[in-house]
Amino acid sequence: MTFTLTLFRHAKSSWDDSVPRDFDRPLNKRGEKAAITMGTWVKRNGLVFDHVVASPAVRVIDTIDQFVKGTGGRMDPHWDRRIYLASSATLMDVLRDQSDEHKNLLMVGHNPGMEDLVFDLCPDDGTSPLRDLVWEKYPTAAIARMELNIDHWADVERSCGQLTHFIRPRDLDPDLGPEDE
């Protein structure tokens, strides 16, 4: 049986905002645009999710709000504090706790855990140019989609996945590329 996992790194947040905690940082305008752009791409490509689990950090909440504008749909995320700045190992634990009734999961969170999770789930067999792009950089608002060869979420383990999509905002809109280019 195949389960699908889509990882969505939060969009670009504002370092200019004078919030007392990292947890409370909102998106900046560029991040808002990127999240909408990624939502539009998801809709156009027919990607579906039957469950969303996300970090409750403000920048993730804002990312989802903007993403939904692009998809034209709605989302009812399950907020899981463990995802906030989590390691790959912790993210795997979150995955293992998911109900098997959900076959297409969207996880929205932070780096470096998201990037490391791609590397842990998808083996480096030298044949994946998508994995090489993740290695280059997993920027804000990027989406990685994997098919996991498991029968239950509880079976998630290293090397159980195959990376099928990796899309960055700059792939869709050059204005959303690195600011120093």
Side-chain angles (χ1 to χ4, degrees), residues 97-157:
D97 288 345
Q98 300 308 303
S99 168
D100 289 339
E101 71 182 271
H102 308 299
K103 305 291 188 231
N104 297 297
L105 182 72
L106 173 64
M107 179 182 279
V108 189
H110 313 266
N111 245 7
M114 303 287 275
E115 178 178 323
D116 292 343
L117 185 60
V118 172
F119 296 139
D120 287 345
L121 293 177
C122 302
D124 184 9
D125 59 8
T127 64
S128 176
L130 293 177
R131 194 177 189 283
D132 293 343
L133 286 176
V134 176
W135 181 258
E136 184 182 302
K137 184 174 185 181
Y138 195 133
T140 54
I143 290 176
R145 188 166 173 99
M146 295 160 273
E147 290 182 1
L148 305 181
N149 186 19
I150 56 176
D151 293 320
H152 307 280
W153 284 111
D155 299 336
V156 167
E157 63 183 0

Side-chain angles (χ1 to χ4, degrees), residues 2 7 12 18 22 33 35 39 51 58 62 76 108 117 133 139 149 177:
T2 301
L7 300 178
K12 194 148 201 63
S18 59
D22 173 75
K33 181 179 179 185
H51 188 60
V58 170
D62 290 350
D76 185 22
V108 189
L117 185 60
L133 286 176
N149 186 19

Side-chain angles (χ1 to χ4, degrees), residues 59-128:
R59 60 190 176 273
V60 172
I61 294 168
D62 290 350
T63 296
I64 291 171
D65 288 346
Q66 298 304 313
F67 179 76
V68 167
K69 289 180 183 177
T71 65
R74 64 180 283 290
M75 289 188 174
D76 185 22
H78 169 76
W79 306 108
D80 191 323
R81 180 75 184 216
R82 294 177 295 169
I83 297 172
Y84 176 66
L85 303 181
S87 67
S88 174
T90 299
L91 295 174
M92 277 197 212
D93 287 342
V94 171
L95 292 174
R96 289 182 189 115
D97 288 345
Q98 300 308 303
S99 168
D100 289 339
E101 71 182 271
H102 308 299
K103 305 291 188 231
N104 297 297
L105 182 72
L106 173 64
M107 179 182 279
V108 189
H110 313 266
N111 245 7
M114 303 287 275
E115 178 178 323
D116 292 343
L117 185 60
V118 172
F119 296 139
D120 287 345
L121 293 177
C122 302
D124 184 9
D125 59 8
T127 64
S128 176

